[in-house]
Amino acid sequence: MSELDSLTIQPAEPAPAFGAVAHEAVRPPVGRALLGAALGAAFGAAAWAAMVILTNHSIGIAATCLGLLSGGLVGRISGGWRGVFPAVAAAVSVVVALVIGKYSAFAYIVHRDAVQRYGAAGGRYFGYTSGHTWNAFHASLGSEFSPLYLLWLGLGAVAAWRMTGPVAHRQTGGS
């Protein structure tokens, strides 16, 4: 067999047009991350309000649990997408859940007390969505959101961030 017979030339696969220039964009699941954050905020607000209504106490460690819930929902629904956007969405959902939960529990307690004290007229005056209830909540923001409560709120946001935030890559190497 001669040297020329042993060499074969395989034709190259035709490259797609603009193959080296344009790539199909991989779109992150932004909508699914927002859906997970919205569900985390809804479940978190309901859980926080229920906890305060049933126990008459705000249990701070529960805020961290809400961070784990929100981070877990965002991570699961977005297919495990980690990055700044899902982390911010999860952290914001914790803050939203705690603020809405705090207001819901406050409105329930004010409404309940108004009905007990003044009857149906008091209940209408201090309804859940009335401006009077909102004004009372706004006037008591300093006591409702104490520095310790803000610490727990921050820990909940950090828990959500840690579950969905970007993964830090460690560089190994010697000198």
Side-chain angles (χ1 to χ4, degrees):
M1 178 189 278
S2 72
E3 192 174 310
L4 291 174
D5 291 334
S6 67
L7 295 176
T8 59
I9 299 176
Q10 296 289 335
E13 294 284 327
F18 302 109
V21 178
H23 297 286
E24 181 179 336
V26 177
R27 297 180 63 188
V30 172
R32 289 184 290 173
L34 290 175
L35 174 64
L39 288 173
F43 291 146
W48 190 268
M51 175 191 66
V52 173
I53 290 168
L54 294 174
T55 66
N56 288 326
H57 295 290
S58 291
I59 303 168
I61 192 83
T64 304
C65 295
L66 292 182
L68 297 173
L69 169 75
S70 184
L73 283 171
V74 169
R76 171 127 350 197
I77 291 175
S78 70
W81 178 37
R82 294 184 67 109
V84 173
F85 183 82
V88 168
V92 167
S93 76
V94 170
V95 173
V96 168
L98 290 174
V99 170
I100 292 173
K102 190 79 146 164
Y103 175 78
S104 299
F106 180 88
Y108 172 81
I109 291 168
V110 166
H111 178 74
R112 181 194 65 196
D113 292 349
V115 168
Q116 287 174 353
R117 214 159 186 210
Y118 304 111
R124 283 191 302 275
Y125 189 79
F126 284 109
Y128 294 106
T129 58
S130 87
H132 303 291
T133 304
W134 177 254
N135 290 338
F137 180 72
H138 188 264
S140 65
L141 283 179
S143 63
E144 290 294 320
F145 294 98
S146 68
L148 185 60
Y149 183 81
L150 294 176
L151 172 69
W152 285 113
L153 189 138
L155 289 173
V158 167
W161 181 279
R162 297 282 301 195
M163 290 188 71
T164 56
V167 179
H169 296 286
R170 293 185 181 197
Q171 291 185 351
T172 58
S175 50

